[in-house]
Amino acid sequence: FSNLTFGVTLDEPANCKIDPKNKKNFTSMDYWFGGSSTAKYNHSMTMRLLSPETLEAENASYTNGGRFTMYVRCEDANGNANTANFVFNFCVDKGPDTTPPLIVSTSILNNMPIAYNQTSIPLQIYLNEPSECKWSNVYQFYDDMENQFTCSTGVFEFNAKQLYQCSTTLTGLKSRVDNNFFFRCKDQPHLKNTANESKRNVNRESYKFILKGTQPLVIDSLSPNSTTIKDSTDVIKVTLKAKTSAGYNEGQAICYFSETGAEGSYVEFFNTDSFEHSQELFLTAGNYNYNVRCVDLGGNVDAK
């Protein structure tokens, strides 16, 4: 389940194609190198190479015993293409899988804040190979962990990034503290409860995942408010200002304003994503009422 990245470097910008068959010319080749038809100096692509043993468990196998030959040709802007192919040859070792699964990414970034009083949240983790995964609030061995992920265990059940998904709901979240979670996974689920169970690889170290509990976001002040603004011109410049505190990161938030307060009518302040927010308006004579809504990275909202 390793990623194999390979490519070509050219002496001028060109389009490149790749094909597992030795075609007679550039036009007859089926696939753009790296999925891109853009003319450039460097072309690369990545293949995820599956374990032969895991393929066999799915009644599948590599053709040619895991030996690959890939043919590449390139064509420049004037239609000049390589006459001969550039050839990549490689093979997939039939040796046993000796490495534990790797958690490549998570649906929520590690160390992200969560909303005040939120007690649970759904989470997906993405692995480089089919696995079974567990989680706990304390650092402990895989077999001792209390909570189970629901995982894609079939070798062909990968997503567009060729990663395998495991899902769960993290519970017991608390506000105003860091919520610590620990994940571990065990590969080769096709060997579960068989005589070869001992061949499965499990994480020796936990993947530590943190969600930061927050406090309510507060709009401390809005200005101008209950104020008559005068000027010598027909159209008067007015600067709306807001100040926020608490929430996540001491009140850092994005603020929006609306004359009606209706959903979909809010406009983001020009200067925002901070503790102080401002928006210049140019208004004719009249009375104006504005609704202001602010939201921080944890999802805490205050409105005035």
Side-chain angles (χ1 to χ4, degrees), residues 199-211:
K199 293 183 178 180
R200 301 178 67 187
N201 303 294
V202 65
N203 296 128
R204 295 184 178 181
E205 298 289 333
S206 292
Y207 182 98
K208 187 175 182 181
F209 186 76
I210 301 173
L211 293 174

PDB file of all heavy atoms in Angstrom, residues 199-211:
ATOM      1  N   LYS A 199      -0.332 -12.339  12.207  1.00  0.00           N
ATOM      2  CA  LYS A 199       0.422 -11.635  11.169  1.00  0.00           C
ATOM      3  C   LYS A 199      -0.033 -10.189  10.995  1.00  0.00           C
ATOM      4  O   LYS A 199       0.621  -9.416  10.288  1.00  0.00           O
ATOM      5  CB  LYS A 199       0.278 -12.363   9.824  1.00  0.00           C
ATOM      6  CG  LYS A 199       0.926 -13.732   9.792  1.00  0.00           C
ATOM      7  CD  LYS A 199       0.795 -14.349   8.402  1.00  0.00           C
ATOM      8  CE  LYS A 199       1.489 -15.701   8.324  1.00  0.00           C
ATOM      9  NZ  LYS A 199       1.365 -16.303   6.979  1.00  0.00           N
ATOM     10  N   ARG A 200      -1.116  -9.822  11.633  1.00  0.00           N
ATOM     11  CA  ARG A 200      -1.634  -8.459  11.467  1.00  0.00           C
ATOM     12  C   ARG A 200      -0.745  -7.461  12.202  1.00  0.00           C
ATOM     13  O   ARG A 200      -0.212  -7.741  13.280  1.00  0.00           O
ATOM     14  CB  ARG A 200      -3.075  -8.366  11.986  1.00  0.00           C
ATOM     15  CG  ARG A 200      -4.025  -9.307  11.271  1.00  0.00           C
ATOM     16  CD  ARG A 200      -5.418  -9.224  11.834  1.00  0.00           C
ATOM     17  NE  ARG A 200      -6.020  -7.922  11.560  1.00  0.00           N
ATOM     18  CZ  ARG A 200      -7.191  -7.535  12.056  1.00  0.00           C
ATOM     19  NH1 ARG A 200      -7.872  -8.334  12.871  1.00  0.00           N
ATOM     20  NH2 ARG A 200      -7.678  -6.344  11.752  1.00  0.00           N
ATOM     21  N   ASN A 201      -0.603  -6.275  11.615  1.00  0.00           N
ATOM     22  CA  ASN A 201       0.239  -5.224  12.182  1.00  0.00           C
ATOM     23  C   ASN A 201      -0.642  -4.179  12.858  1.00  0.00           C
ATOM     24  O   ASN A 201      -1.631  -3.723  12.284  1.00  0.00           O
ATOM     25  CB  ASN A 201       1.062  -4.556  11.082  1.00  0.00           C
ATOM     26  CG  ASN A 201       1.910  -5.548  10.315  1.00  0.00           C
ATOM     27  OD1 ASN A 201       2.828  -6.140  10.864  1.00  0.00           O
ATOM     28  ND2 ASN A 201       1.587  -5.758   9.037  1.00  0.00           N
ATOM     29  N   VAL A 202      -0.281  -3.790  14.064  1.00  0.00           N
ATOM     30  CA  VAL A 202      -1.060  -2.819  14.834  1.00  0.00           C
ATOM     31  C   VAL A 202      -0.158  -1.651  15.221  1.00  0.00           C
ATOM     32  O   VAL A 202       1.056  -1.811  15.397  1.00  0.00           O
ATOM     33  CB  VAL A 202      -1.665  -3.486  16.090  1.00  0.00           C
ATOM     34  CG1 VAL A 202      -0.582  -3.934  17.055  1.00  0.00           C
ATOM     35  CG2 VAL A 202      -2.675  -2.570  16.770  1.00  0.00           C
ATOM     36  N   ASN A 203      -0.734  -0.461  15.314  1.00  0.00           N
ATOM     37  CA  ASN A 203       0.037   0.718  15.719  1.00  0.00           C
ATOM     38  C   ASN A 203       0.600   0.538  17.131  1.00  0.00           C
ATOM     39  O   ASN A 203      -0.131   0.218  18.063  1.00  0.00           O
ATOM     40  CB  ASN A 203      -0.841   1.967  15.702  1.00  0.00           C
ATOM     41  CG  ASN A 203      -1.348   2.314  14.322  1.00  0.00           C
ATOM     42  OD1 ASN A 203      -2.540   2.502  14.127  1.00  0.00           O
ATOM     43  ND2 ASN A 203      -0.456   2.395  13.347  1.00  0.00           N
ATOM     44  N   ARG A 204       1.896   0.753  17.266  1.00  0.00           N
ATOM     45  CA  ARG A 204       2.520   0.695  18.590  1.00  0.00           C
ATOM     46  C   ARG A 204       2.384   2.008  19.330  1.00  0.00           C
ATOM     47  O   ARG A 204       2.476   2.054  20.559  1.00  0.00           O
ATOM     48  CB  ARG A 204       3.999   0.323  18.443  1.00  0.00           C
ATOM     49  CG  ARG A 204       4.221  -1.078  17.887  1.00  0.00           C
ATOM     50  CD  ARG A 204       5.705  -1.427  17.853  1.00  0.00           C
ATOM     51  NE  ARG A 204       5.928  -2.781  17.355  1.00  0.00           N
ATOM     52  CZ  ARG A 204       7.129  -3.340  17.245  1.00  0.00           C
ATOM     53  NH1 ARG A 204       8.214  -2.649  17.589  1.00  0.00           N
ATOM     54  NH2 ARG A 204       7.246  -4.567  16.775  1.00  0.00           N
ATOM     55  N   GLU A 205       2.199   3.079  18.587  1.00  0.00           N
ATOM     56  CA  GLU A 205       1.976   4.401  19.180  1.00  0.00           C
ATOM     57  C   GLU A 205       0.600   4.894  18.779  1.00  0.00           C
ATOM     58  O   GLU A 205       0.143   4.656  17.658  1.00  0.00           O
ATOM     59  CB  GLU A 205       3.040   5.397  18.713  1.00  0.00           C
ATOM     60  CG  GLU A 205       4.471   5.034  19.102  1.00  0.00           C
ATOM     61  CD  GLU A 205       4.728   5.200  20.587  1.00  0.00           C
ATOM     62  OE1 GLU A 205       4.028   6.041  21.213  1.00  0.00           O
ATOM     63  OE2 GLU A 205       5.601   4.505  21.122  1.00  0.00           O
ATOM     64  N   SER A 206      -0.061   5.597  19.675  1.00  0.00           N
ATOM     65  CA  SER A 206      -1.375   6.153  19.380  1.00  0.00           C
ATOM     66  C   SER A 206      -1.249   7.427  18.559  1.00  0.00           C
ATOM     67  O   SER A 206      -0.275   8.181  18.689  1.00  0.00           O
ATOM     68  CB  SER A 206      -2.137   6.468  20.672  1.00  0.00           C
ATOM     69  OG  SER A 206      -2.485   5.292  21.356  1.00  0.00           O
ATOM     70  N   TYR A 207      -2.233   7.644  17.708  1.00  0.00           N
ATOM     71  CA  TYR A 207      -2.388   8.915  16.995  1.00  0.00           C
ATOM     72  C   TYR A 207      -3.173   9.832  17.931  1.00  0.00           C
ATOM     73  O   TYR A 207      -4.353   9.591  18.205  1.00  0.00           O
ATOM     74  CB  TYR A 207      -3.139   8.686  15.691  1.00  0.00           C
ATOM     75  CG  TYR A 207      -3.327   9.912  14.821  1.00  0.00           C
ATOM     76  CD1 TYR A 207      -2.468  10.165  13.758  1.00  0.00           C
ATOM     77  CD2 TYR A 207      -4.369  10.808  15.053  1.00  0.00           C
ATOM     78  CE1 TYR A 207      -2.645  11.280  12.942  1.00  0.00           C
ATOM     79  CE2 TYR A 207      -4.553  11.927  14.249  1.00  0.00           C
ATOM     80  CZ  TYR A 207      -3.682  12.156  13.204  1.00  0.00           C
ATOM     81  OH  TYR A 207      -3.861  13.260  12.408  1.00  0.00           O
ATOM     82  N   LYS A 208      -2.532  10.871  18.452  1.00  0.00           N
ATOM     83  CA  LYS A 208      -3.200  11.769  19.399  1.00  0.00           C
ATOM     84  C   LYS A 208      -3.989  12.827  18.645  1.00  0.00           C
ATOM     85  O   LYS A 208      -3.463  13.492  17.745  1.00  0.00           O
ATOM     86  CB  LYS A 208      -2.187  12.441  20.326  1.00  0.00           C
ATOM     87  CG  LYS A 208      -2.839  13.249  21.442  1.00  0.00           C
ATOM     88  CD  LYS A 208      -1.806  13.809  22.409  1.00  0.00           C
ATOM     89  CE  LYS A 208      -2.470  14.584  23.549  1.00  0.00           C
ATOM     90  NZ  LYS A 208      -1.473  15.152  24.497  1.00  0.00           N
ATOM     91  N   PHE A 209      -5.239  12.975  19.015  1.00  0.00           N
ATOM     92  CA  PHE A 209      -6.140  13.908  18.337  1.00  0.00           C
ATOM     93  C   PHE A 209      -6.777  14.803  19.402  1.00  0.00           C
ATOM     94  O   PHE A 209      -7.271  14.319  20.422  1.00  0.00           O
ATOM     95  CB  PHE A 209      -7.227  13.131  17.583  1.00  0.00           C
ATOM     96  CG  PHE A 209      -8.126  13.988  16.740  1.00  0.00           C
ATOM     97  CD1 PHE A 209      -7.696  14.510  15.527  1.00  0.00           C
ATOM     98  CD2 PHE A 209      -9.423  14.268  17.158  1.00  0.00           C
ATOM     99  CE1 PHE A 209      -8.527  15.293  14.747  1.00  0.00           C
ATOM    100  CE2 PHE A 209     -10.260  15.051  16.384  1.00  0.00           C
ATOM    101  CZ  PHE A 209      -9.808  15.562  15.173  1.00  0.00           C
ATOM    102  N   ILE A 210      -6.758  16.125  19.166  1.00  0.00           N
ATOM    103  CA  ILE A 210      -7.227  17.092  20.152  1.00  0.00           C
ATOM    104  C   ILE A 210      -8.328  17.969  19.558  1.00  0.00           C
ATOM    105  O   ILE A 210      -8.188  18.474  18.440  1.00  0.00           O
ATOM    106  CB  ILE A 210      -6.072  17.980  20.658  1.00  0.00           C
ATOM    107  CG1 ILE A 210      -4.976  17.125  21.305  1.00  0.00           C
ATOM    108  CG2 ILE A 210      -6.574  19.032  21.639  1.00  0.00           C
ATOM    109  CD1 ILE A 210      -3.732  17.908  21.682  1.00  0.00           C
ATOM    110  N   LEU A 211      -9.412  18.137  20.310  1.00  0.00           N
ATOM    111  CA  LEU A 211     -10.453  19.114  19.993  1.00  0.00           C
ATOM    112  C   LEU A 211     -10.511  20.105  21.146  1.00  0.00           C
ATOM    113  O   LEU A 211     -10.637  19.706  22.313  1.00  0.00           O
ATOM    114  CB  LEU A 211     -11.808  18.428  19.795  1.00  0.00           C
ATOM    115  CG  LEU A 211     -11.924  17.515  18.569  1.00  0.00           C
ATOM    116  CD1 LEU A 211     -13.268  16.798  18.574  1.00  0.00           C
ATOM    117  CD2 LEU A 211     -11.761  18.306  17.283  1.00  0.00           C
TER     118      LEU A 211
END
